Amino acid sequence: MDINRFYTLIEIIGTIAFASSGTMIAIRKGMDFFGIIVLALITALGGGVFRDIILGITPPTAFLKTTYTKVAIIVAILIIFILKISNGKKFLDQKYLTKYVKLMSFLDAVGLGIFTVSGVNLAMKMGHGANTYLLVFVGIVTGCGGGVLRDVCSGTIPIIFTKNTIYAMASFLGALSYILIRPYTIKYSYIIGASVTIITRLFAMKYRWSLPNVNSDLIEDAPDQ
């Protein structure tokens, strides 16, 4: 398979994953049809828009190449239709909440991994291969940007700012893995980099890995100025 077609296929998979995540959260929050479509688009395309702005690509690719926009809209409509014909209210009841959370977490992890590597790859193609800091930063922004916008628009504290979670760090590890492996193999480095992010994120959720956090008591006990 041609390498450019391979990249496109992988990014479409990531778009489907993130659009599904945004759609399900919008439905869970009780949004109307328009709100569901918008949240699906924001989740699927938001990180890429941030990436393009940082790299100086204007207008952002999402407004010029509409393939990903169409994919996100189709995914949202399909999910709405499936839930309508399969008694969606029952599906979203408390009884099914655990399965819902697991599915959304998995889809979010897949989107995070794919778009993290996609961001690094584009920055390299634009000639920034020697700037590791920029590559990693762009990768994290691309991977996490859509999820941050999704959470803000749905009235939730963005997951990357909450304790007891490894999200941006998973993106960081995937971006770094891709950068280190790419000189040896282009295609497999893409898969490995994305997999590192996905696996790290899923294991972090399963085993409740977290980064150290500042004890809030230190602030609460601090003397008034």
Side-chain angles (χ1 to χ4, degrees):
M1 180 184 293
D2 178 77
I3 192 65
N4 290 324
R5 289 186 179 180
F6 172 77
Y7 288 152
T8 300
L9 176 61
I10 293 295
E11 289 178 357
I12 287 176
I13 293 173
T15 300
I16 292 172
F18 264 165
S20 300
S21 171
T23 300
M24 293 298 292
I25 289 177
I27 294 173
R28 186 78 187 177
K29 292 287 185 176
M31 296 185 184
D32 61 14
F33 182 82
F34 179 76
I36 295 170
I37 298 296
V38 169
L39 201 65
L41 288 171
I42 286 174
T43 310
L45 307 177
V49 171
F50 282 143
R51 172 202 65 198
D52 290 352
I53 292 174
I54 292 172
L55 294 176
I57 302 174
T58 54
T61 307
F63 299 105
L64 299 176
K65 189 176 181 180
T66 60
T67 300
Y68 304 112
T69 300
K70 293 175 182 176
V71 168
I73 293 174
I74 291 172
V75 167
I77 293 174
L78 282 175
I79 291 176
I80 293 171
F81 178 74
I82 291 171
L83 291 181
K84 282 289 186 181
I85 65 175
S86 62
N87 194 1
K89 290 184 178 179
K90 180 179 178 181
F91 178 78
L92 293 177
D93 280 345
Q94 186 67 31
K95 179 180 178 181
Y96 296 91
L97 182 59
T98 300
K99 292 182 180 180
Y100 162 81
V101 171
K102 287 182 178 180
L103 176 61
M104 289 305 95
S105 297
F106 175 76
L107 292 172
D108 192 66
V110 171
L112 177 66
I114 289 175
F115 281 111
T116 292
V117 176
S118 172
V120 178
N121 180 62
L122 181 59
M124 283 185 167
K125 289 170 68 174
M126 292 188 65
H128 301 294
N131 191 337
T132 303
Y133 172 69
L134 175 63
L135 295 177
V136 172
F137 182 79
V138 169
I140 293 174
V141 167
T142 308
C144 300
V148 171
L149 287 176
R150 175 200 63 207
D151 294 343
V152 170
C153 292
S154 63
T156 306
I157 298 176
I159 192 171
I160 68 171
F161 301 138
T162 58
K163 64 179 182 178
N164 300 326
T165 183
I166 290 182
Y167 195 87
M169 180 56 66
S171 178
F172 168 80
L173 294 175
L176 195 59
S177 298
Y178 175 65
I179 293 169
L180 294 175
I181 298 172
R182 194 175 189 278
Y184 305 101
T185 170
I186 296 178
K187 181 179 292 187
Y188 290 110
S189 63
Y190 203 113
I191 296 174
I192 293 172
S195 297
V196 167
T197 296
I198 295 169
I199 292 172
T200 300
R201 175 65 186 141
L202 292 177
F203 270 67
M205 289 186 291
K206 180 176 178 61
Y207 297 105
R208 299 185 180 278
W209 294 345
S210 63
L211 297 175
N213 61 293
V214 177
N215 189 344
S216 60
D217 292 339
L218 296 178
I219 298 177
E220 292 175 359
D221 296 340
D224 296 332
Q225 297 296 322

